Amino acid sequence: MSSSRPGAASTPFGPGRARFLARWSGALLVIAGVTGTVLLAFPPAPYADYAVVVSSAVIAVLAGLALLSGALDHLPLGAFQVVIFLATVLAALGVYGGGGPSSGAEMLFLWLSPYAFVFFSTRQAALQTSLVAGIYAVVLAVQHRQHPGIGSVGVLLGLWVMVVASVLVVGILVRHLGRTVRDVDQRFRRGFEDSPVAAAFLDLELEFVEVNPALCNLLGRTRDELVGSSVLLVSHAGDVENARWLRAGPGRIVEDESRFLRPDGTIVWAEVAGSLVSPEIGAEYRFCQFRDVTAHRRDREALAHQAIHDPLTGLYNRTLLLDRTAAALARRDQKSTLVGLILIDLDQFKVVNDSLGHEAGDAVLMALAPLLAGAVAPTDTIGRLGGDEFLVLLDELSSPLEAVDRADRLAEAIGAPIELTGGMYVPAASIGVAVASGVEHDAAALLRDADAAMYRAKAGGRNRIEVFDRSMRYEALRRLQLEHDLRRAIAEGDLVLEYQPVVDTTTGKPVSLEGLVRWDHPSRGRIGPDEFVPLAEQTGLIVALGDWVLREAITQLAEWQLLYLVDPPLRVTVNVSGRQLAVPGFADRVAHLLRGSAIAPGSLGVEITESVIIDVEVAYETLESLRALGVNVLLDDFGTGYSSLAYLEQFPIDVLKIDRSFVARLDEGSDRAVVLEAIFAMARALHLSVIAEGVENHGQIAKLRDLGCTWIQGFVVAAPLPREEVLGFLIEQQTIARAIDRGSAR
């Protein structure tokens, strides 16, 4: 191990040779100087010289203190050896001047010389040993010459030989030991330098004593920047106080995660293992290893964020909202405040998705999120439950009226116009408010209450705020029970179909039947479709319900076509929801039902509402597939939705069913008749058939016939009929129509 500077870096495991030698040399020189001075306290020898003793001792002590303080650490190695040599000579002279040569000088040479074998080359060590032996021989010779009485030449020579031999033997042993120490130190240093694990030695003042390249790369700093500086300068201020790895006791390894700063301000997360080492020789130090966990920490924080945040809006999600609600309810006993929930559901949000696309819908939700967050109090928590529903936790309410005030602020924030690619959109929402009133409330129950209030707001006309009361809880339970009963009714076939005829306005002949689903509840009696069909839509049961209606209608039509032979064959139509059309493979299921039946081709029709054809991508492809099977497509409730001429031209539609609101007001004036006349003209131009719904008197029939309407449906013809009465009606109506035909012929 060689170095050109005595201040070469050292590690606590193996000290640098020049610095270590300097400390030992300094200590020995101080001892030598003090020894010479102390000897003056005894009866002085006849050859003692006080001036020599004092001056030599002072110089030796000063030189020793300089070496101990490190003032000469940065001298070149050669100059460093000269300093040691001169100080040694002066110390020897001081000892000689003070008295007995075998006291201080012999001890000094015996201690100092062997270390030359450890820290210098063989040639340098031999030269230094020779110099020491020579000085000692000269001192002995001078003393013997001037004072023969101190001993014979043989005794002095023997003493000299013993000293020199002892120096050589001890030097060789120390040199061997030094090589072992150097080898261990070199292996450690090589492993330390080449280790991919960032590591450092710190002194007890938390300054870097040594760092390896891996740590320099981790912190983005050079070795010169780190060594001698405090680890606190590169640590994040928020982690210093709680950094347990900086306070590890002896024999313990403490692991912790801390943040460190790179020069550009970038934060690096590191897992640090720190331990306090107490060597047998030398001062205590801390050994630390650093493992970069920035990416792992980032991933962990991202997962933690995703676990409690909505990915689209960045608001809290359902899980965290319910957890905080439960915690707020648990704290009610300790506070005098109330806890409430505000549930927000956007009105007609599906229209945005269907007309402008889901990207536009997402844009609306993302635009609303900061508006809602800005409208809540600092103590409130806002999040997104999913879809177009938002939830606000009110943690410190003084009264239920305060909850309503906050709901008003939220409604005002929601009403701000939002600019979309397709134009401006002004959202509106139905808002339900629930305040915990007793110990029976838990988070789930409070959310159900807010949900019930929100549904009451929707049922009351939308774009309004409703506060929960106990009657709503009954409604919610009733709705839940109704859903359960409907699910069972579909599975067990407890539903029935009634059929309302469609007849020709001129002949009165039945041309088709509309299948209408009915539910005779075992305990509640007849439940109208206006109540259970929307429930089926909301719960997803509409798909299973629609499949049942299709199977039942096709099976029944096959039976009637065998018993009621007319040309063209009797047809049946059923209502199909947008959810059914959106289910993959819907047209294939219809094809399977048609192949398994004996009905005449083209005798099945599906009725859709105008809102269904808004979703062009889904509806168009499915309707085209149905028409390819020979299924007729009827557009129900025409005139009340969103359709336009562009939709009518684009979509595969065969029949328009005019909404009953147009027919009901035919007697009010000519304006309604003008509108209907325009609709009939448009239908003829597009080669579409027309059915007028809700016809209730013969006067309406006459006006519709004059306007060119050929098919009608309504109570004037027949109310929806049970399956058992349909065949009798068909035969009776056919008989009446034939009689009318014979009378006309006469």
Side-chain angles (χ1 to χ4, degrees):
M1 187 175 188
S2 61
S3 176
S4 61
R5 295 177 63 86
S10 63
T11 67
F13 191 88
R17 60 188 185 185
R19 182 175 297 177
F20 191 65
L21 178 60
R23 301 298 184 264
W24 274 96
S25 301
L28 291 172
L29 289 174
V30 172
I31 292 172
V34 173
T35 300
T37 305
V38 169
L39 289 175
L40 293 176
F42 298 94
Y47 49 83
D49 188 332
Y50 286 92
V52 174
V53 172
V54 174
S55 59
S56 300
V58 169
I59 293 174
V61 171
L62 291 177
L65 292 176
L67 291 173
L68 284 174
S69 66
L72 305 177
D73 282 359
H74 298 287
L75 286 177
L77 190 58
F80 188 76
Q81 288 182 279
V82 171
V83 171
I84 294 176
F85 174 71
L86 293 177
T88 303
V89 171
L90 290 172
L93 292 175
V95 173
Y96 165 72
S102 60
S103 55
E106 185 175 327
M107 186 182 300
L108 172 67
F109 299 147
L110 187 62
W111 286 357
L112 180 60
S113 297
Y115 289 95
F117 287 88
V118 180
F119 299 102
F120 302 117
S121 66
T122 303
R123 181 178 300 176
Q124 291 172 330
L127 176 61
Q128 189 152 323
T129 302
S130 300
L131 290 173
V132 171
I135 293 170
Y136 189 54
V138 170
V139 171
L140 290 177
V142 171
Q143 287 185 338
H144 179 69
R145 181 179 180 84
Q146 293 181 354
H147 310 285
I150 66 173
S152 65
V153 176
V155 173
L156 293 176
L157 182 60
L159 183 59
W160 179 83
V161 171
M162 289 177 59
V163 172
V164 174
S166 298
V167 169
L168 292 175
V169 171
V170 175
I172 291 171
L173 293 176
V174 173
R175 185 171 185 81
H176 176 73
L177 178 61
R179 284 178 176 173
T180 303
V181 173
R182 283 200 304 274
D183 290 343
V184 173
D185 183 57
Q186 286 175 352
R187 286 195 296 270
F188 177 83
R189 180 174 290 279
R190 189 177 301 114
F192 177 74
E193 295 288 342
D194 297 340
S195 173
V197 179
F201 294 101
L202 307 176
D203 60 21
L204 296 185
E205 301 299 325
L206 303 182
E207 291 186 356
F208 287 107
V209 176
E210 188 56 273
V211 297
N212 67 353
L215 182 62
C216 294
N217 292 334
L218 176 66
L219 300 180
R221 302 172 189 269
T222 65
R223 178 183 174 279
D224 292 339
E225 289 176 323
L226 292 175
V227 173
S229 65
S230 174
V231 70
L232 303 181
L233 297 178
V234 296
S235 299
H236 192 281
D239 293 346
V240 171
E241 184 176 351
N242 298 320
R244 295 183 298 114
W245 59 276
L246 287 175
R247 287 176 284 277
R252 294 182 57 226
I253 298 177
V254 177
E255 296 183 355
D256 201 359
E257 286 189 1
S258 289
R259 289 170 291 179
F260 297 91
L261 301 176
R262 288 181 171 172
D264 60 358
T266 304
I267 294 178
V268 178
W269 276 96
E271 184 180 74
V272 188
S275 61
L276 179 65
V277 181
S278 300
E280 295 183 3
I281 300 176
E284 290 183 328
Y285 61 90
R286 294 187 181 276
F287 178 64
C288 304
Q289 291 181 305
F290 306 77
R291 185 169 68 90
D292 188 354
V293 293
T294 305
H296 174 70
R297 184 88 182 197
R298 188 184 303 116
D299 294 342
R300 190 170 65 188
E301 290 176 352
L303 290 175
H305 185 275
Q306 292 173 11
I308 61 173
H309 287 81
D310 171 54
L312 179 64
T313 63
L315 299 175
Y316 291 121
N317 62 11
R318 183 189 190 94
T319 301
L320 183 123
L321 286 168
L322 291 180
D323 285 348
R324 290 199 176 178
T325 302
L329 291 171
R331 292 194 301 267
R332 278 187 305 168
D333 295 338
Q334 305 170 5
K335 296 183 177 182
S336 59
T337 55
L338 301 175
V339 177
L341 287 179
I342 298 177
L343 182 59
I344 303 167
D345 186 276
L346 299 182
D347 294 333
Q348 302 295 343
F349 183 71
K350 187 177 183 299
V351 176
V352 178
N353 284 329
D354 292 344
S355 59
L356 301 178
H358 289 280
E359 290 185 359
D362 291 346
V364 170
L365 297 176
M366 288 188 290
L368 279 176
L371 298 177
L372 294 174
V376 299
T379 56
D380 299 341
T381 303
I382 183 169
R384 178 184 175 219
L385 289 185
D388 58 345
E389 287 187 336
F390 297 88
L391 185 67
V392 181
L393 166 63
L394 312 175
D395 192 2
E396 296 184 3
L397 291 174
S398 58
S399 69
L401 291 178
E402 187 179 355
V404 177
D405 290 339
R406 297 191 191 181
D408 285 334
R409 291 204 303 268
L410 289 166
E412 184 178 353
I414 292 170
I418 298 174
E419 186 175 355
L420 300 175
T421 304
M424 297 297 294
Y425 170 70
V426 181
S430 298
I431 300 176
V433 180
V435 178
S437 57
V439 295
E440 74 278 3
H441 267 104
D442 58 17
L446 191 59
L447 178 59
R448 285 196 301 268
D449 291 349
D451 189 63
M454 183 271 293
Y455 273 105
R456 174 73 66 86
K458 282 193 177 296
R462 305 178 187 273
N463 193 23
R464 56 187 294 163
I465 299 171
E466 286 284 349
V467 180
F468 175 82
D469 57 39
R470 292 187 180 275
S471 65
M472 293 182 187
R473 184 174 300 166
Y474 170 76
E475 257 184 53
L477 292 175
R478 177 175 172 275
R479 183 173 174 271
L480 185 64
Q481 183 62 45
L482 190 64
E483 177 187 345
H484 174 267
D485 294 344
L486 179 59
R487 193 180 301 274
R488 185 178 61 186
I490 295 172
E492 298 178 1
D494 290 342
L495 303 170
V496 296
L497 280 183
E498 292 185 347
Y499 299 88
Q500 187 170 29
V502 175
V503 300
D504 188 285
T505 56
T506 304
T507 64
K509 293 180 181 180
V511 294
S512 67
L513 299 163
E514 180 183 0
L516 302 170
V517 63
R518 299 291 186 260
W519 183 13
D520 291 323
H521 194 276
S523 60
R524 295 178 53 188
R526 172 64 61 95
I527 298 178
D530 290 343
E531 183 174 359
F532 71 83
V533 170
L535 177 64
E537 285 274 6
Q538 294 163 5
T539 59
L541 290 174
I542 192 65
V543 176
L545 177 61
D547 285 349
W548 180 87
V549 169
L550 272 170
R551 288 195 304 271
E552 185 72 14
I554 290 174
T555 301
Q556 188 61 59
L557 180 61
E559 179 182 333
W560 286 332
Q561 284 186 346
L562 291 176
L563 300 174
Y564 182 69
L565 300 175
V566 292
D567 186 28
L570 180 67
R571 294 179 301 197
V572 70
T573 64
V574 296
N575 292 281
V576 175
S577 73
R579 284 203 176 193
Q580 286 178 271
L581 293 178
V583 173
F586 175 74
D588 294 335
R589 289 208 300 279
V590 174
H592 175 72
L593 292 173
L594 292 176
R595 285 194 298 268
S597 69
I599 66 173
S603 55
L604 175 67
V606 294
E607 298 189 16
I608 61 174
T609 60
E610 294 179 84
S611 61
V612 171
I613 65 175
I614 297 296
D615 194 345
V616 177
E617 183 177 354
V618 175
Y620 182 84
E621 295 179 359
T622 304
L623 294 177
E624 278 287 7
S625 299
L626 291 174
R627 288 193 74 192
L629 298 173
V631 177
N632 295 294
V633 179
L634 294 78
L635 184 59
D636 198 9
D637 299 332
F638 179 73
T640 61
Y642 310 97
S643 61
S644 63
L645 285 176
Y647 282 124
L648 296 180
E649 291 177 332
Q650 178 182 359
F651 270 81
I653 296 172
D654 301 296
V655 180
L656 293 181
K657 295 189 72 174
I658 300 175
D659 185 71
R660 64 182 66 247
S661 61
F662 288 90
V663 177
R665 286 178 280 179
L666 265 177
D667 300 329
E668 296 178 4
S670 59
D671 290 345
R672 189 63 58 176
V674 171
V675 174
L676 286 176
E677 186 176 2
I679 292 175
F680 291 135
M682 175 192 65
R684 286 191 295 270
L686 296 175
H687 306 289
L688 299 176
S689 301
V690 180
I691 299 175
E693 292 184 286
V695 181
E696 297 182 355
N697 56 62
H698 291 283
Q700 292 172 345
I701 295 177
K703 289 184 179 181
L704 289 169
R705 187 186 301 121
D706 294 340
L707 292 172
C709 180
T710 55
W711 294 341
I712 59 173
Q713 177 182 2
F715 282 5
V716 70
V717 177
L721 301 171
R723 178 186 60 185
E724 297 80 7
E725 299 179 12
V726 171
L727 188 59
F729 171 83
L730 293 175
I731 295 173
E732 179 184 358
Q733 198 72 15
Q734 184 72 9
T735 302
I736 295 174
R738 287 173 180 170
I740 294 175
D741 287 342
R742 286 195 297 270
S744 300
R746 294 194 187 99

